[in-house]
Amino acid sequence: MNVEKDSLHQETHEITDLILAAKEKAYQETDDTPEPELTQSVGWPVECTVGPGLEGAIACETKIGYVNGGKGWLVYGGYNIFDLCAYSNYEEVSFLLLNGRMPNKSEFTEFKQKLMAARHIPNTLRLMMGFPVQDMNPMASLRIGTNMLRQRLTWRDMAKAKPSEELAVETDADAIDMDIPQSGQDHATYEFKRGHGQFNKPASARESQDDAEGMDACIHLISAMSVLTAAISRIRSDHIPIEWHPELSHAANLLYMMTGRIPTPVEERIMDVALILHADHGMNASTFASMVVASTLSDIYFSVGAGIAALNGPLHGGANEMVVKMLKEIGSPDNAKAWYAEKRANKEKIMGFGHRVYKAYDPRARILAPLAEYLARDNVQARKLYETAKSLEGEVIETLGKDKKIFPNVDYYSGIVYTCLGIPDDMFTPVFAVSRTAGWTARILEYIENNRIFRPRAIYTGGFVTDYTPLEQR
Ligand code: ACO
């Protein structure tokens, strides 16, 4: 790509250089031909070999992104992930995912203004504070927050259906009094005061998009998710949520709202890269979960809620937190060999390794590893985590890498990066959700254009009972 590297990131070219070095190494280890069977239009029904967990199943066509697992490629809208991390930013990447092309200058300015406006969710935050966020799993809080954001949507649905206005509680237009007692039940009553949602559900995908399922809802979710995540982090550490800063980027705002400190250019840049890296990734479990919900013509807020729920699991986005826990348990690089030998003998899985699609080194880990090393230079604790991670990686690659093509995945180094950026361990997965909202919403929007409800089948291996035995005779 012919881009002056100084033009976009004046103060952070060391970061750009690390990304470009990772790109060069990746390109040396792979060739540049895509898989023909996965990169051209198919006729439906398509023939493919399906394994358990839908391994290998083709569910739809997409222009949003492509993962070549054999070669370790990740592509969004035609652009490879290394170039996007080296030259772009999360806002531009979100536009790319949602629109299938890069914005021009005026489109980009307008898009950023919309993202900024969508950060204004004071009443949703106020409602959040009525929940025991301190004691809840942060991903559960995020899911509740997403559900409360939905109120804007139901308001629109209601306006269409014209129900009586006093039935509605609109979270982001000061419809709820500010002086509701903190423990009051009204805090949780965010849908309909009398509990019957009488709005018209959209009958078709097109109608549902025209309503509030479209771009506005995507932008609302992308922005609001970062505000919610930061607020959850603050509340959990006994602080009051911080208002977003109008002059900061999406990445800088996320860190600022979480930590209360304006990040340095390097911190902002690395957060931005981490957001780009996690923005989309094919038909992964959380994306698929959100698409399944959307395919029923449920709305996009419920769909993103499903994505959050799926991402939470330790086999998916929850692994980033587990990795740091594991590295702390190992304690030092010297302990990695013995620790790993024991886990291997017990056939235990090593968090942050392996992937359903990648059978080569995950390009996201290629980028995150040197960034973790860079950030950990002046941080003794993080340095120890990084060196322990490197030592364990060597052991795993020597064995599982050679035998089963198991390499570090995106979650292996991201936790160390987040730690250096001042993000608490239990907020790693919510921060992942902040990034992935662009991918979830973009793929929902694309899929619903030619919607068909997801409905696979299962092989029944149970028996058939012909004589029903009444309970008292069993
Ligand atoms: N450590 C040790 N062995 C592993 C690992 C691992 N992390 N991952 C896979 N294997 C082994 C399995 O034991 C299995 O061995 P076998 O054939 O001898 O039975 C083989 O590799 C295939 O593994 P599966 O679990 O069947 O692979 P699958 O595609 O179903 O799972 C997954 C992929 C869930 C990511 C798996 O590699 C794993 O559990 N990794 C650890 C958790 C993790 O890091 N998750 C984050 C993934 S990235 C993301 O979601 C954002």
Side-chain angles (χ1 to χ4, degrees), residues 52-53 55 278 281 284-286 311 313-320 322-323 340 343-344 347-359 362 364 396 400 404-412 432 436:
E55 180 171 8
H278 290 82
H281 204 247
N284 61 85
S286 59
L311 188 71
L315 295 187
H316 191 13
N320 52 15
M322 307 286 283
V323 168
Y340 174 62
K343 298 286 164 188
R344 199 156 147 67
K347 295 195 180 333
E348 284 181 48
K349 278 196 173 169
I350 315 298
M351 288 293 132
F353 285 90
H355 199 273
R356 173 62 63 80
V357 178
Y358 288 121
K359 301 302 164 204
D362 184 331
R364 302 166 300 175
V396 176
L400 287 172
K404 296 185 183 169
K405 297 192 184 305
I406 288 176
F407 300 99
N409 58 48
V410 67
D411 288 328
Y412 192 57
F432 189 157
R436 188 54 61 86

